Amino acid sequence: MQPASKRRLLVAVVLPLAVAALLPVLRRPSTTSPQVVVYCAHDSIFADAVLQAFEQRSGIRVTVRYDEEASKSLGLTQLLLAEKATPRCDVFWNNQTLGTIRLQRAGVLQACPPDWFRRIPEHYRDPAGCWCGFAGRFRVWLVNTSRMQASVRTVDEAFAADDLSRCSIAVPLFGTTLTHYTELAAELGLAELQEWHQSLRERGIREARGNGAVRDLVAAGACDFGLTDTDDALAAIDEGKPVQMLPYRLPSGNTICIPNTASIIRNCPHPREAEQLLRFLLSEEVELLLAGSAARQVPLGAVDSAKLPADVRPLLEWVQDSTAPGAAADFDEPVLSWLSELYTGGGE
C-alpha cells in the first residue's frame, strides 16, 4: 500500500474514534452555566413540574436530590447538618416545618431580607427570615361513610369510645403525625400528651406505617375512620372511595396546617440562583400549580381564587384557623426523644 493511501486509511479509522471519544466532553454542560442545587422533601411527582417551570423560565439548570419516602424528610435534614461546613445544597424545599427549624437552630440556614417573603402572611414565616411557608396541607379525619356518619359529633363520640380498633393513626415518629404530636404537646404539655397516646394504645387504635396506609385502611372499610392529611384524603376521594374528610381540630379549636417551607443554605455555592428559586417557590404561580395538582395543597398567600379547584376553595377557611407552624417547635426535641425511646428503645 502506498504511503498516501496508508495516511488516508489512518485518518478514516482514527478520526471517527477520536470524535466519538470527545462527544461526552462536548455534551457535558459547562460548569460556568447558571445552576442551582435543591434538596427536596416534597414528592417528586409534584415538585418536578415546579422545578421544570423554573428552569424554563429562568434558564438556570436545576439539580435536585429527593428524600427517601421512608425517612419522611428526616434524611435530608440530617444530610444538611452533616454538610454544614461545606454546603453542597443551595435551596432546601422541605414538606414541613420541624426539620427546617432544626436546621435554623443549628445555624445551617441563611437569613433573607423580609421583602422576599412579603407575599406570605407573617403567621407562616420565620421572623428572622430563615424560612418561609407556602402551599399547606392539613391534618384531617378521614371517614368511611359506609361505616359511619361523617360529622364532627359522630367522630368525637367514636374517638372517645372504649374501643378504638376501628380507628387508625400513623406511627408518630416521622412526618406530619410527629408534627401533630408536637402541636398537641404545645397545648396540653408533654405529660398529658403521653397519657393521651397511652390511652389510644390501650383502647386498641391501629397504628399504620404512614398516612397513606391510614387512608387505605379507611377507604377499604378495614377501619371506620382515621387521622391523615388532606393530600391522602383527597386521593381516596378522587378514586371514588366511600370517604369524606373533616378538619382535625386541636383542643383550642385550631386546625393544623403543615406548609412546605423554602430556605437558602448558609454559604451555599450558588447564592444568586438560590435567591431566584426561593422567590419563585413563594410565588402565586407555584401555589396555584400545587393547588391544581393531585395533592391540592392550599395557598397561604393571596391568589386568584377563581383559578383554584372547586374542592380547594373551601379549605381556605381552614387556613384562617390554623396554628402558627413554628409555634410548637420547642416541643420537637422532647416529643421526638420520648417517641424514639417508646418505639425503638423498648419503652412502654
Side-chain angles (χ1 to χ4, degrees):
M1 184 178 292
Q2 297 298 319
S5 299
K6 288 182 178 179
R7 284 196 298 271
R8 286 195 295 271
L9 178 61
L10 184 63
V11 170
V13 172
V14 173
L15 184 58
L17 292 175
V19 171
L22 283 172
L23 278 176
V25 176
L26 296 174
R27 290 172 180 164
R28 188 178 302 143
S30 169
T31 55
T32 61
S33 63
Q35 58 182 306
V36 65
V37 178
V38 184
Y39 287 1
C40 184
H42 193 38
D43 292 339
S44 61
I45 191 173
F46 306 123
D48 275 345
V50 172
L51 297 176
Q52 288 169 12
F54 174 74
E55 278 191 321
Q56 294 168 2
R57 190 73 48 82
S58 67
I60 296 171
R61 180 167 54 89
V62 177
T63 300
V64 58
R65 176 169 183 159
Y66 287 105
D67 210 352
E68 296 293 333
E69 174 65 21
S71 63
K72 303 293 185 183
S73 82
L74 185 61
L76 289 181
T77 301
Q78 295 301 322
L79 179 59
L80 287 165
L81 287 168
E83 294 177 352
K84 179 181 176 181
T86 54
R88 299 178 183 179
C89 173
D90 298 302
V91 173
F92 183 34
W93 175 353
N94 202 0
N95 63 355
Q96 46 92 3
T97 55
L98 290 181
T100 305
I101 294 173
R102 284 179 215 148
L103 294 173
Q104 176 192 4
R105 292 179 174 181
V108 174
L109 306 184
Q110 175 67 51
C112 301
D115 65 294
W116 293 9
F117 300 161
R118 184 178 300 157
R119 200 188 139 266
I120 304 295
E122 292 183 6
H123 190 70
Y124 300 103
R125 47 186 163 106
D126 171 42
C130 288
W131 57 267
C132 188
F134 65 103
R137 51 192 162 146
F138 290 85
R139 293 293 287 170
V140 293
W141 292 108
L142 186 65
V143 179
N144 187 305
T145 53
S146 298
R147 307 289 306 182
M148 61 185 283
Q149 183 182 8
S151 70
V152 173
R153 178 172 170 271
T154 302
V155 169
D156 286 348
E157 288 178 353
F159 197 57
D162 293 337
D163 181 6
L164 285 182
S165 60
R166 302 287 302 177
C167 178
S168 182
I169 189 172
V171 172
L173 269 173
F174 305 105
T176 57
T177 313
L178 175 59
T179 300
H180 189 143
Y181 271 50
T182 61
E183 293 280 2
L184 281 170
E187 290 206 359
L188 303 175
L190 182 59
E192 191 168 341
L193 170 65
Q194 291 170 335
E195 292 176 6
W196 178 82
H197 179 71
Q198 182 62 25
S199 171
L200 298 185
R201 301 183 95 182
E202 288 174 350
R203 289 182 286 151
I205 197 166
R206 293 186 64 171
E207 293 183 87
R209 67 184 182 278
N211 292 316
V214 172
R215 171 202 62 208
D216 294 342
L217 286 169
V218 175
C223 285
D224 298 343
F225 67 120
L227 282 161
T228 188
D229 296 337
T230 43
D231 54 347
D232 289 298
L234 287 163
I237 292 170
D238 286 346
E239 292 173 2
K241 303 297 184 182
V243 294
Q244 289 185 27
M245 67 179 185
L246 301 168
Y248 173 87
R249 293 188 181 273
L250 292 159
S252 62
N254 289 325
T255 58
I256 300 177
C257 177
I258 304 170
N260 289 272
T261 55
S263 53
I264 293 178
I265 304 305
R266 181 175 291 179
N267 300 320
C268 66
H270 311 102
R272 193 170 299 176
E273 292 81 3
E275 175 187 344
Q276 291 184 59
L277 177 56
L278 181 79
R279 288 174 175 271
F280 182 71
L281 290 177
L282 302 178
S283 68
E284 178 181 4
E285 178 182 351
V286 168
E287 288 210 299
L288 287 172
L289 272 172
L290 292 173
S293 73
R296 307 263 243 293
Q297 295 187 315
V298 185
L300 304 182
V303 298
D304 182 353
S305 59
K307 296 180 179 178
L308 291 173
D311 51 4
V312 172
R313 290 175 206 156
L315 307 186
L316 292 174
E317 296 180 9
W318 300 4
V319 173
Q320 306 306 315
D321 296 337
S322 68
T323 58
D330 288 343
F331 288 88
D332 178 25
E333 186 175 341
V335 168
L336 183 57
S337 177
W338 157 59
L339 289 171
S340 297
E341 175 64 23
L342 184 65
Y343 283 93
T344 65
E348 293 295 334

